[in-house]
Amino acid sequence: PGSCPALCECLEAAKTVKCVNRNLTAVPPDLPSYVRNLFITGNRLARLPAGAFPAQRLPDLRALNLSGNHLRAVEAGALAALPALRQLDLSGNPLVSLSPQVFGEGGSPLEELALRGALRDHSVLLSLAAMLQSGALRNLSRLELADNGLLLLPAGMFTALPALRQLDLSNNSLVGLRNVSFQGLGQLQSLNLSNNSLGVLRNGTLAQFRGLPALRHIGLGRNTWVCDCAIEDLVAWLKESDQVEGKEALTCAYPDKMLGKALLKINGSDLNCSMPVDLPSQLQTSYVFLGIVLALIGAIFLLVLYLNRKGIKKWMHNIRDACRDHMEGYHYRYEINADPRLTNLSSNSDV
């Protein structure tokens, strides 16, 4: 129990084991039971199978760092036998498979989870969302999802994290938060959205921010803010809120005439909002009005037809008689032309 695995460095007094840059392909099976802090980084594990950590052998392990191991798959039950685990770092691994049951059926007391640069595959992001939504990590207080190139987040991804206090979504490519719900995150204190591709924050998102009593730090720097009429709500919120760090440095990225202008210095005359902001609602209203007009025209047309039904009937009869007389004339000429005895007669006389 007190021995140290080959290729690892053990510090019994600090209850720490380090297996760093040793080209390991599997978790050492003979880890000492006293370990609380375990670093297995910079190796070539490739996959973390079920039971990767021996059951009941590491009862005190609290911090596990598996970053930079070329991990591609973390299977169901891989971290199920770690009852004291509080911190997990899987950053810098090119994951293509992450089982939602990685902590087993009963969940985990995990409090901090770092996945920086580990969610490049969209299926892994969906698996993580399923894991979080299942309630397996209800004690999670810190979640780091930076540097993953994320465009959009799965709906309801954070709804089962009531203890979450810090959420880092920085250095991604997020273009909007319309389908993201922060409701239920009553303990959230810090939200980092800096260095993304956000063009605007809508009223629904701003209302959620206002409804989070503990939220004191919001990072919005280095985003591509589009300063048109849709930015008015965000500007008004920035002017009244003390939650945004460095809000004076937030500037417009589009259009060209507004490039570099501080958001806090924007006023109505700069935006020239002659068109309504909510174009989808305007178009929907226009379609409804057009439908009403067409229905009214159709009703008038049917009414005119009904009032003139006798005249229309007489007109239709006249057309029918004219067509019948015309067709009888053609039929008579055809009979003359088809009878060889009448052919000479028709050519020499006026029939």
Side-chain angles (χ1 to χ4, degrees):
S3 64
C4 187
L7 304 178
C8 293
E9 177 185 356
C10 299
L11 305 172
E12 186 171 358
K15 300 185 183 303
T16 299
V17 174
K18 297 182 179 179
C19 310
V20 180
N21 298 327
R22 297 293 186 173
N23 286 324
L24 297 176
T25 58
V27 176
D30 52 349
L31 292 168
S33 59
Y34 64 73
V35 63
R36 290 187 180 179
N37 307 298
L38 176 59
F39 296 83
I40 304 178
T41 63
N43 294 287
R44 309 189 69 85
L45 298 186
R47 59 187 288 267
L48 205 63
F53 295 89
Q56 309 304 323
R57 285 289 303 276
L58 304 173
D60 299 323
L61 182 61
R62 294 182 59 87
L64 175 60
N65 192 328
L66 295 171
S67 61
N69 278 308
H70 297 86
L71 273 172
R72 296 179 61 82
V74 181
E75 300 177 3
L79 303 174
L82 301 174
L85 188 63
R86 296 295 186 273
Q87 302 173 7
L88 174 62
D89 192 344
L90 290 170
S91 301
N93 288 295
L95 296 176
V96 296
S97 175
L98 175 65
S99 172
Q101 289 80 38
V102 64
F103 296 102
E105 297 296 332
S108 169
L110 194 70
E111 296 176 355
E112 300 182 15
L113 176 60
L115 290 163
R116 180 182 290 269
L119 302 176
R120 298 286 177 172
D121 190 284
H122 186 65
S123 64
V124 177
L125 175 63
L126 297 179
S127 296
L128 174 64
M131 180 196 303
L132 298 178
Q133 290 170 333
S134 70
L137 300 178
R138 295 189 63 83
N139 295 319
L140 200 65
S141 62
R142 181 174 179 271
L143 179 59
E144 184 176 349
L145 303 178
D147 301 329
N148 284 304
L150 305 176
L151 289 172
L152 295 170
L153 296 174
M157 183 174 179
F158 309 119
T159 54
L161 300 175
L164 193 64
R165 296 184 179 182
Q166 298 179 353
L167 178 57
D168 188 355
L169 293 167
S170 63
N171 198 28
N172 284 292
S173 301
L174 295 173
V175 296
L177 299 174
R178 180 167 283 184
N179 67 326
V180 181
S181 175
F182 298 100
Q183 294 180 352
L185 303 182
Q187 303 297 319
L188 189 64
Q189 299 175 358
S190 174
L191 174 61
N192 193 348
L193 293 166
S194 61
N195 201 17
N196 277 282
S197 300
L198 297 172
V200 68
L201 293 180
R202 303 286 180 179
N203 247 337
T205 301
L206 301 178
Q208 291 187 55
F209 290 165
R210 293 188 186 98
L212 298 176
L215 187 57
R216 291 291 178 267
H217 306 285
I218 303 177
L220 295 176
R222 299 184 301 280
N223 278 283
T224 54
W225 303 113
V226 179
C227 295
D228 57 13
C229 293
I231 203 77
E232 284 187 315
D233 295 331
L234 174 59
V235 171
W237 174 72
L238 286 174
K239 291 179 179 179
E240 70 179 27
S241 174
D242 59 354
Q243 298 171 305
V244 181
E245 300 175 337
K247 61 182 180 180
E248 297 80 6
L250 301 181
T251 58
C252 303
Y254 301 99
D256 292 340
K257 67 177 183 178
M258 301 288 286
L259 181 63
K261 186 175 182 65
L263 265 62
L264 289 178
K265 295 182 179 180
I266 293 176
N267 52 51
S269 60
D270 294 326
L271 301 177
N272 189 24
C273 298
S274 57
M275 292 292 291
V277 174
D278 196 357
L279 290 180
S281 297
Q282 183 190 20
L283 290 175
Q284 185 176 5
T285 302
S286 299
Y287 290 145
V288 171
F289 180 73
L290 179 60
I292 293 174
V293 171
L294 291 177
L296 183 60
I297 293 174
I300 294 174
F301 180 72
L302 293 175
L303 180 61
V304 170
L305 291 179
Y306 177 76
L307 294 176
N308 293 276
R309 60 189 183 279
K310 293 183 179 180
I312 293 173
K313 185 177 181 180
K314 183 179 180 181
W315 178 68
M316 292 295 293
H317 287 176
N318 291 339
I319 291 178
R320 184 191 63 185
D321 294 340
C323 290
R324 183 172 58 192
D325 294 341
H326 197 63
M327 291 303 295
E328 287 179 352
Y330 275 117
H331 182 66
Y332 184 63
R333 286 183 176 274
Y334 174 76
E335 289 180 346
I336 292 176
N337 293 334
D339 192 341
R341 296 173 298 175
L342 301 177
T343 303
N344 294 332
L345 179 62
S346 64
S347 62
N348 296 326
S349 61
D350 184 14
V351 179

